[in-house]
């Protein structure tokens, strides 16, 4: 009897789906990154536009990555460079640069300081320039009289980990639990559960764990509190569209959201009075959709398995296939035929975007069953 493993995505679990009732094959669980469709976000940056390469060339950004081969390390190197390049000034209004990334960086290199929203814009633009799917977010503690009443940060999809990760260039931080970097909503979960007692604050390129950051004289709990409230921009093309940027916001409407009010100092968030700008989303998977991943369906006829691939990959370039562990990746179309007469095969798929960044691997395996 032959065994075919094929990936089709359901919440939290991956199963084989077969196109016929051939008794040679059966349903098998397979542990891969879950595919979640993008249903609520409208747009991402367009890497065909020359502004991205111009950004890399003008600021010689390739020099950031010396010694950085691992994807997440490269992402941390970008965050580190921004933190070191831009100084902090929370009270500099009016700021130079008119909100444009180049204007911010030009002024920063002359010693001008900026607030969190400027760090967010620069980090988002550079991440996207290198093909990492990143989105700008607004967050806040919802409590009067504390720091960061409204804080701008980024969440970036890390392909090698198959998850979103919160990255704060202003403070040079992110959070981990049991060594796994956390998304914004995961940090929020931990803060609401027990004020972030079970997670680690990680600082800098050396990934130093700390409960208290002496540079900013703040505790881990204080930083985590900032993510009590979260808003996602419905469009994520801030670099190309600025200043004509759609300000509609997606918020996660859970029990906490429904039973509390997001306060900015002594008044509710402005979008409560302009509800057309506050898009309430109850489905967490819709917010934490999974870019660059693949969903597949298999249809079997005779000794041929037809595999249909589907993905939500911003700036999609191609699907790729590797037939065994030693072969090279090759471009392939979205429908692939596999010969089932061979006793065994191990085939992998992935997406590739226009910056030649590849998504998580999606494996199909057939082997003899004793």
């Amino acid at each position: 009897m032959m065994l075919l493993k094929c990936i089709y995505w359901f919440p939290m679990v991956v199963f084989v789906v077969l196109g016929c009732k051939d008794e040679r094959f059966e349903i098998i669980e397979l542990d891969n990154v879950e595919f979640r469709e993008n249903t609520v976000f409208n747009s991402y940056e367009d890497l065909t536009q020359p502004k991205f390469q111009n950004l890399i060339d003008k600021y010689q950004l390739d020099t950031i990555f010396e010694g950085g081969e691992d994807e997440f390390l490269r992402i941390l190197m970008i965050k580190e460079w921004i933190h070191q390049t831009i100084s902090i000034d929370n009270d500099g209004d009016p700021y130079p640069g008119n909100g444009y990334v180049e204007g911010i960086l030009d002024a920063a290199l002359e010693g001008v300081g900026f607030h969190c929203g400027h760090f967010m814009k620069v980090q988002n633009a550079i991440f996207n320039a290198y093909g990492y799917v990143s989105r700008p977010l607004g967050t806040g503690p919802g409590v009067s009289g504390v720091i960061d009443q409204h804080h701008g940060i980024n969440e970036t999809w890390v392909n090698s980990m198959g998850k979103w990760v919160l990255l704060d260039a202003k403070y040079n931080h992110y959070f981990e639990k049991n060594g796994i970097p956390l998304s914004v909503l995961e940090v929020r979960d931990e803060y609401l559960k027990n004020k972030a007692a079970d997670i680690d604050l990680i600082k800098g390129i050396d990934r130093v764990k700390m409960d208290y950051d002496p540079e900013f004289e703040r505790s881990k709990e204080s930083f985590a509190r900032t993510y009590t409230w979260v808003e996602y921009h419905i469009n994520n093309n801030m670099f190309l569209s600025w200043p004509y940027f759609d300000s509609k916001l997606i918020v996660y409407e859970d029990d906490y959201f429904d039973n509390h009010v997001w306060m900015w100092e002594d008044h509710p968030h402005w979008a409560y009075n302009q509800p057309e700008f506050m898009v309430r989303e109850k489905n967490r998977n819709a917010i934490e959709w999974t870019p660059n991943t693949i969903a597949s369906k298999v249809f079997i006829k005779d000794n041929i398995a037809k595999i249909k691939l589907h993905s939500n990959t911003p700036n999609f370039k191609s699907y790729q296939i590797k037939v065994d562990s030693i072969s090279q990746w090759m471009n392939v179309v979205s429908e692939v035929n596999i010969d089932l007469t061979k006793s065994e095969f191990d085939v992998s798929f992935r997406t590739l975007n226009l910056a030649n960044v590849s998504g998580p691997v999606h494996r199909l395996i057939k082997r003899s069953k004793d």
Side-chain angles (χ1 to χ4, degrees):
M1 181 177 291
M2 295 298 197
L3 183 67
L4 179 69
K5 297 183 179 179
C6 179
I7 306 163
Y8 186 81
W9 297 105
F10 293 91
M12 301 307 296
V13 183
V14 185
F15 293 97
V16 177
V17 173
L18 301 180
C20 69
K21 296 182 179 179
D22 192 324
E23 294 182 356
R24 295 176 301 162
F25 309 104
E26 62 186 32
I27 296 177
I28 306 290
E29 286 191 19
L30 192 61
D31 183 19
N32 280 311
V33 180
E34 181 182 357
F35 174 82
R36 299 175 190 162
E37 194 86 43
N38 176 20
T39 59
V40 297
F41 294 95
N42 290 342
S43 62
Y44 273 78
E45 302 285 9
D46 178 4
L47 297 188
T48 65
Q49 299 302 308
K51 285 186 67 174
F52 290 101
Q53 189 59 49
N54 292 341
L55 187 69
I56 291 171
D57 294 341
K58 179 177 180 180
Y59 301 103
Q60 301 179 29
L61 297 179
D62 286 343
T63 61
I64 294 172
F65 302 119
E66 184 176 352
E69 300 298 331
D70 172 76
E71 178 191 48
F72 190 54
L73 177 58
R74 288 169 65 87
I75 287 171
L76 294 181
M77 286 175 165
I78 293 172
K79 176 172 65 69
E80 181 93 3
W81 182 85
I82 295 167
H83 177 74
Q84 293 178 350
T85 300
I86 306 176
S87 60
I88 298 172
D89 183 354
N90 294 323
D91 304 306
D93 194 29
Y95 292 92
N98 296 318
Y100 290 93
V101 168
E102 295 94 330
I104 296 167
L105 283 173
D106 289 345
L109 291 168
E110 295 294 327
V112 178
F114 290 89
H115 66 58
C116 59
H118 300 103
F119 284 85
M120 174 193 74
K121 287 181 181 179
V122 171
Q123 184 171 239
N124 204 64
I126 296 176
F127 279 154
N128 277 283
Y130 282 101
Y132 302 124
V133 180
S134 179
R135 53 192 184 186
L137 284 78
T139 64
V143 179
S144 298
V146 299
I147 196 169
D148 288 334
Q149 286 294 299
H150 188 245
H151 186 53
I153 49 96
N154 301 101
E155 196 171 48
T156 299
W157 174 260
V158 182
N159 295 287
S160 58
M161 299 175 181
K163 70 189 310 294
W164 291 101
V165 176
L166 179 162
L167 294 157
D168 189 329
K170 177 180 177 181
Y171 297 125
N172 204 14
H173 288 164
Y174 70 96
F175 291 85
E176 287 184 355
K177 184 173 184 179
N178 299 323
I180 299 174
L182 300 179
S183 70
V184 175
L185 290 183
E186 288 170 335
V187 175
R188 178 179 181 267
D189 291 341
E190 295 293 329
Y191 180 77
L192 294 179
K193 180 179 69 175
N194 58 12
K195 299 189 183 301
D198 297 332
I199 63 177
D200 297 311
L201 180 67
I202 309 296
K203 184 167 182 176
I205 198 71
D206 295 325
R207 309 184 202 189
V208 178
K209 294 182 181 180
M210 53 181 58
D211 290 322
Y212 181 83
D213 187 342
E215 180 183 358
F216 300 106
E217 299 182 334
R218 290 179 63 183
S219 67
K220 174 185 68 175
E221 178 184 331
S222 170
F223 284 112
R225 179 184 58 200
T226 304
Y227 306 105
T228 304
W229 295 90
V230 184
E231 61 192 16
Y232 302 77
H233 292 282
I234 197 167
N235 290 309
N236 291 273
N237 58 344
M238 181 177 285
F239 179 54
L240 289 179
S241 65
W242 187 264
Y244 306 105
F245 185 67
D246 189 341
S247 56
K248 286 184 181 178
L249 306 170
I250 296 173
V251 294
Y252 177 39
E253 189 179 16
D254 62 353
D255 289 341
Y256 187 89
F257 181 94
D258 287 338
N259 291 292
H260 298 79
V261 176
W262 185 353
M263 299 297 294
W264 283 17
E265 293 295 352
D266 58 353
H267 58 276
H269 188 294
W270 61 267
Y272 284 110
N273 294 323
Q274 300 182 59
E276 68 274 18
F277 288 99
M278 183 181 283
V279 180
R280 303 186 181 205
E281 178 55 61
K282 294 181 180 291
N283 181 4
R284 180 164 172 163
N285 283 349
I287 293 173
E288 292 190 322
W289 68 286
T290 55
N292 306 342
T293 59
I294 293 174
S296 66
K297 291 183 179 180
V298 161
F299 304 89
I300 297 174
K301 184 176 181 181
D302 300 325
N303 287 311
I304 298 295
K306 176 178 286 187
I307 303 168
K308 292 188 176 182
L309 306 175
H310 172 65
S311 181
N312 290 159
T313 297
N315 297 287
F316 177 82
K317 180 179 181 180
S318 178
Y319 291 107
Q320 292 193 314
I321 187 172
K322 182 192 284 190
V323 178
D324 55 54
S325 60
I326 62 173
S327 66
Q328 299 296 312
W329 287 100
M330 299 180 296
N331 292 345
V332 70
V333 296
S334 61
E335 293 190 9
V336 179
N337 291 333
I338 300 292
D339 182 0
L340 298 179
T341 61
K342 297 179 180 179
S343 60
E344 295 188 7
F345 68 74
D346 185 342
V347 60
S348 298
F349 296 96
R350 68 183 186 183
T351 61
L352 194 70
N353 70 16
L354 293 175
N356 292 319
V357 172
S358 56
V361 172
H362 178 93
R363 289 185 69 197
L364 304 173
I365 303 171
K366 188 196 81 170
R367 65 175 182 264
S368 299
K369 184 177 181 183
D370 296 329

